[in-house]
Amino acid sequence: MSHSDATSSWPKLLRRLSTSTRPNSSVPDSQRPPPLPMRPNRMLYQPQQLWTDSRPGTVVVSPGLQGLSLYVDEQQRIYESAQQRQQQREQPHQKPKTPPSAVDDRAPTTERVAEFKLDIPNGVCNMTQYPGDTIVGSVVVTVTKPTRAQRVSLTFIGQERVYLRDPANTSLIPSLVKADFILFEKRLSLWGQEIDSNDQQDAGSQMEVLAPGTLRIPFSIKLPHVNYPATIKRDKVCRIRYLVWAQFERPGTFRDHEMTTPKEMLYMEPLAYPTRPREVFRINRVIEPFADSSTSSVAVQIDGGLSQLPAMAGDRILYQLEVRAVRSAAASGADLAGQHQSVPYTVRYVRMCVIERLYVRGLIKGSELSQSYRTDLFSFTLDPTGQIPGKHSNSASVFASTGYLRLPVDLCPFESKQLSRTYELRIECDVADDSSLLDKVTRQTSTYTLFTPLDICTVSPDGFTTAALNNAYTDETMNISGIAPPAHHLAAAEPVIRVGGWEMERSYIKWDKHNPTWIELVKRKVAE
């Protein structure tokens, strides 16, 4: 067999090496070593298999299958972790619900004061408070060792703040000046020394010692029959808030230690009584155009009315309006009859909007300043009577519409020393030229606006008749004697804080320093 026949079955690399080294070799062919043993090409690149025990139940797995299985497991873990992160982003505030434990299993701590918090029930903190209501809660103090303390006190404060433009500022960017007013500020010592104790020499001897465990001090705040302004916050306009928090004071080596709980905000609203019986509020007005308007010779006449005024928040008010374009007073001159003549203009759209009006006032640098702000609460476009439902445009000579106006449920007017809140109804009418209704380029349009007061109350006026109102109102401020609570700045009554006043729950927890753990001993219910 020749060398070429022997090397024909070699791999390509060995054949190339044999060809490159053969001419330079001086060894004859007879003395060359025999060729390498050949193997089929299908076995050249086949991976080596790992054989396991051949006992029954064993499986032979190649490295390729093992790698594929590991890859699939890794992709499965990546997919599950991505799903968990997506669920956490969609529900960031939801915590897994765990049943409450009967035994306090909190981790032990080396701090002297392990817990100090203000506990107000959710049914009290999240509900709106009215004149004469009672706010209840408790202060919880947990200490791990005998502790000398001065007092545990509670503070309840009402603050009012308004922002006014500084008249001394002449720059293009207006600057705001805030004016603060304290509605009331009450503080009471729930445990320990009194607030007005000024004898510092006897302060150390009068201190009491808190035993290790938890002390729960219940309290109640009785609101007077006074109309405090409603809780409100408008950025850079006004703010009224009512805050309650607790303080824990105890002596220290170099200075006294004072702990304060987070301030809880309470929501309060006054009682707005009706000032007149319910009746139909009639509207018969003519809106004149602006002097520089393109339709200076056209005015808008509105006829109609609103039923069931004064109304409560959330009521449905029946309205009926007829709006038409007439000749303005400037165009008709002294002829009053000519003012009602028709003009080649059509009232295309009519919108109604409920507005919140805030009137702020304050004393800035010795001068009394006042400003007014209007905010749109909600608006809607009226449907012309006889037109397709949902089609707001009108092509008739008179825009007629009848329907119901649903008031928001959070309307509450009030009057305070620096702030007043009332409500208005704005009626907007869009007038267009009849000759160019289909040509949007040459159409002449104008908007006419009418503001009318909207009488809102929080007490139902159904039981108030004309005779009852005439006998009830005793002064020009329209306060119902013995029924309607007076405004806060006209009354001297303030909230009253006292210890107890409701059913409380007190638990005693023992602290064992040799075996740090929390042990619940007893729970009692005491009615004071």
Side-chain angles (χ1 to χ4, degrees):
M1 182 179 61
S2 62
H3 180 74
S4 60
D5 296 338
T7 59
S8 60
S9 61
W10 288 13
K12 186 183 296 185
L13 178 60
L14 296 180
R15 290 201 306 268
R16 186 166 57 251
L17 293 176
S18 175
T19 305
S20 61
T21 57
R22 185 176 181 182
N24 297 332
S25 177
S26 59
V27 179
D29 295 342
S30 61
Q31 297 181 3
R32 290 180 180 277
L36 297 174
M38 303 305 299
R39 59 180 177 178
N41 292 335
R42 61 184 178 85
M43 299 293 293
L44 290 177
Y45 304 103
Q46 186 173 356
Q48 183 181 2
Q49 296 183 359
L50 299 179
W51 302 92
T52 58
D53 194 0
S54 60
R55 292 177 297 177
T58 59
V59 180
V60 179
V61 181
S62 64
L65 294 178
Q66 289 181 351
L68 180 60
S69 177
L70 294 176
Y71 174 77
V72 172
D73 295 343
E74 182 66 21
Q75 294 299 322
Q76 182 68 18
R77 286 193 295 269
I78 294 175
Y79 175 76
E80 292 177 355
S81 61
Q83 291 293 331
Q84 292 178 0
R85 290 194 298 269
Q86 181 67 17
Q87 293 178 0
Q88 292 177 359
R89 285 193 295 267
E90 293 177 355
Q91 301 176 355
H93 302 292
Q94 292 187 1
K95 298 181 180 179
K97 296 182 179 180
T98 57
S101 177
V103 180
D104 196 343
D105 55 355
R106 289 173 293 183
T109 177
T110 58
E111 297 291 337
R112 179 180 291 271
V113 182
E115 183 183 25
F116 179 58
K117 66 178 182 178
L118 179 64
D119 185 13
I120 298 180
N122 292 333
V124 176
C125 187
N126 299 333
M127 298 296 291
T128 303
Q129 308 297 327
Y130 295 95
D133 289 352
T134 302
I135 304 171
V136 298
S138 59
V139 178
V140 182
V141 184
T142 302
V143 294
T144 60
K145 58 188 71 174
T147 304
R148 297 173 64 248
Q150 295 177 351
R151 69 177 63 89
V152 177
S153 60
L154 185 75
T155 304
F156 183 39
I157 188 173
Q159 300 174 339
E160 182 177 355
R161 172 178 293 181
V162 296
Y163 295 88
L164 298 168
R165 296 187 181 91
D166 189 3
N169 184 21
T170 58
S171 62
L172 298 178
I173 301 177
S175 62
L176 299 177
V177 181
K178 60 183 179 181
D180 295 333
F181 178 72
I182 302 298
L183 303 175
F184 58 84
E185 184 174 3
K186 302 295 292 184
R187 188 183 179 192
L188 178 66
S189 176
L190 304 180
W191 180 90
Q193 301 177 8
E194 298 295 334
I195 298 295
D196 55 355
S197 179
N198 298 323
D199 192 357
Q200 299 295 333
Q201 296 181 357
D202 298 339
S205 60
Q206 296 178 358
M207 289 186 184
E208 300 185 18
V209 178
L210 279 174
T214 298
L215 174 63
R216 183 181 294 269
I217 310 173
F219 66 87
S220 61
I221 303 175
K222 179 64 176 179
L223 299 178
H225 200 61
V226 173
N227 263 337
Y228 288 106
T231 303
I232 185 176
K233 182 180 181 181
R234 301 290 185 267
D235 291 339
K236 302 302 180 182
V237 176
C238 61
R239 183 190 69 187
I240 297 177
R241 60 180 183 176
Y242 302 90
L243 304 174
V244 57
W245 69 90
Q247 292 178 321
F248 180 43
E249 303 174 19
R250 60 187 181 89
T253 305
F254 300 101
R255 60 181 180 86
D256 293 344
H257 299 284
E258 181 176 334
M259 299 180 63
T260 304
T261 62
K263 297 180 180 180
E264 294 284 348
M265 181 178 292
L266 302 178
Y267 297 90
M268 299 177 60
E269 283 188 2
L271 294 178
Y273 278 74
T275 57
R276 57 185 177 86
R278 269 185 172 174
E279 58 185 6
V280 177
F281 180 75
R282 302 191 179 278
I283 302 176
N284 187 4
R285 296 280 300 277
V286 176
I287 309 175
E288 297 292 337
F290 293 103
D292 55 350
S293 175
S294 59
T295 58
S296 58
S297 61
V298 180
V300 171
Q301 181 179 358
I302 302 178
D303 296 324
L306 304 174
S307 66
Q308 299 181 353
L309 285 183
M312 292 184 60
D315 284 352
R316 297 172 66 228
I317 302 177
L318 176 64
Y319 66 86
Q320 184 176 2
L321 296 177
E322 291 184 358
V323 187
R324 59 174 58 87
V326 298
R327 189 176 302 275
S328 64
S332 60
D335 186 8
L336 298 179
Q339 187 175 357
H340 299 284
Q341 296 178 359
S342 61
V343 291
Y345 284 85
T346 302
V347 179
R348 297 283 291 170
Y349 301 95
V350 176
R351 291 181 296 272
M352 299 180 67
C353 181
V354 178
I355 301 175
E356 176 193 61
R357 182 176 181 181
L358 297 175
Y359 183 74
V360 299
R361 51 193 176 272
L363 188 63
I364 304 297
K365 297 180 181 179
S367 59
E368 185 75 20
L369 301 179
S370 61
Q371 295 171 7
S372 179
Y373 299 89
R374 282 188 172 97
T375 305
D376 294 352
L377 299 181
F378 83 100
S379 62
F380 65 99
T381 304
L382 306 185
D383 294 334
T385 303
Q387 298 288 344
I388 301 176
K391 185 179 180 181
H392 306 306
S393 61
N394 173 55
S395 58
S397 59
V398 178
F399 187 103
S401 179
T402 303
Y404 287 93
L405 168 64
R406 172 72 73 175
L407 297 177
V409 296
D410 56 349
L411 302 183
C412 181
F414 63 85
E415 174 79 19
S416 66
K417 190 174 183 62
Q418 293 184 329
L419 181 64
S420 300
R421 180 166 68 178
T422 57
Y423 298 96
E424 295 178 343
L425 183 65
R426 184 179 68 221
I427 303 177
E428 296 179 352
C429 308
D430 293 345
V431 178
D433 186 6
D434 284 345
S435 61
S436 58
L437 288 179
L438 300 179
D439 189 357
K440 297 183 179 180
V441 178
T442 61
R443 180 186 303 172
Q444 295 181 357
T445 61
S446 297
T447 301
Y448 296 78
T449 304
L450 171 65
F451 290 93
T452 178
L454 193 60
D455 197 355
I456 303 296
C457 57
T458 58
V459 179
S460 177
D462 294 338
F464 290 85
T465 60
T466 304
L469 290 174
N470 292 335
N471 295 331
Y473 288 110
T474 57
D475 51 17
E476 296 180 355
T477 59
M478 306 303 289
N479 289 324
I480 303 180
S481 177
I483 301 178
H488 79 284
H489 56 276
L490 301 177
E494 291 186 350
V496 178
I497 306 176
R498 66 190 185 98
V499 182
W502 65 297
E503 186 174 321
M504 64 179 179
E505 181 180 351
R506 178 180 293 141
S507 60
Y508 299 91
I509 301 176
K510 180 182 178 182
W511 176 266
D512 188 358
K513 64 179 180 180
H514 300 289
N515 184 17
T517 181
W518 292 92
I519 303 174
E520 186 174 4
L521 297 180
V522 66
K523 286 187 176 181
R524 300 179 182 176
K525 290 186 178 180
V526 181
E528 297 183 358

